[in-house]
Amino acid sequence: MLIELMYKEFKNELNITSENKVIRFFSILFKLIFIGLFITLEVFIFLSLDKKITKYSSYGSYDFLIFFLFIMLIIGIFSSLIKARKVLFNKLDSTILFTLPISNSTLVFSKIIFIYIKSVLLNLIISTPLLISYGSSRGFMPYYYIFSLLYPFIISLFIIGVTLILLVP
């Protein structure tokens, strides 16, 4: 039942109900192109600022990375807070799910997993390219890249925790 509830959330989020497959295909293609261009622009801006900061201080570059990741953490918290308010307090859920034999804990848990997955995807798009480009420009060891891939999963747990604390009035 948990998988079906998460599928319902993703279906509502991605608006899969459209009948025309060509429109859906071009919509997904446009989103993928936009994400690729965003990652390219993000890494280019980060590396150009990183080179300028490195001229003045070698430690400043690391501080800039930490500052940038902190800004992304704050943006992730606010983004998850907005998404959680929409998902957890959806007024249409009671009319649809009232007749089904679903416990409240299963419903809330599926919505929290949905928010966590959205947060992981956001961090994979934003933070991981920065960490990988920083590591490749410095020649770091391979374990750094493994951490760069695990970073979105770890930081998203923190983001969801803070979001759920701020969500309760």
Side-chain angles (χ1 to χ4, degrees):
M1 189 56 78
L2 187 68
I3 306 254
E4 288 87 10
L5 289 172
M6 288 187 343
Y7 176 72
K8 179 191 98 45
E9 293 296 333
F10 276 109
K11 188 176 176 182
N12 288 341
E13 178 71 25
L14 297 175
N15 200 8
I16 297 178
T17 59
S18 65
E19 299 294 326
N20 196 347
K21 291 183 180 181
V22 174
I23 293 174
R24 191 175 343 151
F25 171 74
F26 282 115
S27 173
I28 291 171
L29 182 66
F30 179 72
K31 286 178 184 177
L32 290 175
I33 290 171
F34 178 75
I35 288 171
L37 290 174
F38 176 76
I39 290 172
T40 305
L41 181 67
E42 173 190 26
V43 169
F44 174 74
I45 291 172
F46 178 76
L47 287 178
S48 64
L49 287 174
D50 186 48
K51 286 179 186 176
K52 291 179 182 180
I53 290 173
T54 306
K55 285 182 184 178
Y56 297 108
S57 169
S58 61
Y59 297 112
S61 176
Y62 178 73
D63 294 338
F64 177 66
L65 175 69
I66 298 300
F67 177 71
F68 206 82
L69 290 176
F70 177 73
I71 297 291
M72 291 302 126
L73 174 73
I74 299 300
I75 290 172
I77 288 172
F78 284 116
S79 164
S80 292
L81 190 61
I82 292 168
K83 178 56 68 185
R85 288 197 77 105
K86 278 188 205 174
V87 170
L88 287 174
F89 302 119
N90 190 357
K91 60 184 174 185
L92 297 176
D93 278 347
S94 61
T95 59
I96 296 170
L97 300 173
F98 186 67
T99 58
L100 299 175
I102 301 171
S103 67
N104 291 335
S105 61
T106 305
L107 181 64
V108 171
F109 190 64
S110 71
K111 290 177 183 266
I112 290 173
I113 290 174
F114 172 73
I115 297 166
Y116 174 75
I117 291 171
K118 293 284 289 185
S119 178
V120 167
L121 291 176
L122 179 70
N123 279 313
L124 274 172
I125 291 171
I126 294 175
S127 300
T128 304
L130 293 179
L131 289 168
I132 290 174
S133 64
Y134 182 80
S136 66
S137 68
R138 302 289 184 279
F140 287 161
M141 299 297 285
Y143 61 84
Y144 175 82
Y145 300 107
I146 294 170
F147 171 74
S148 297
L149 293 175
L150 292 177
Y151 175 80
F153 297 98
I154 297 167
I155 204 68
S156 292
L157 288 174
F158 178 75
I159 288 173
I160 292 301
V162 171
T163 299
L164 292 176
I165 288 171
L166 293 176
L167 193 65
V168 177

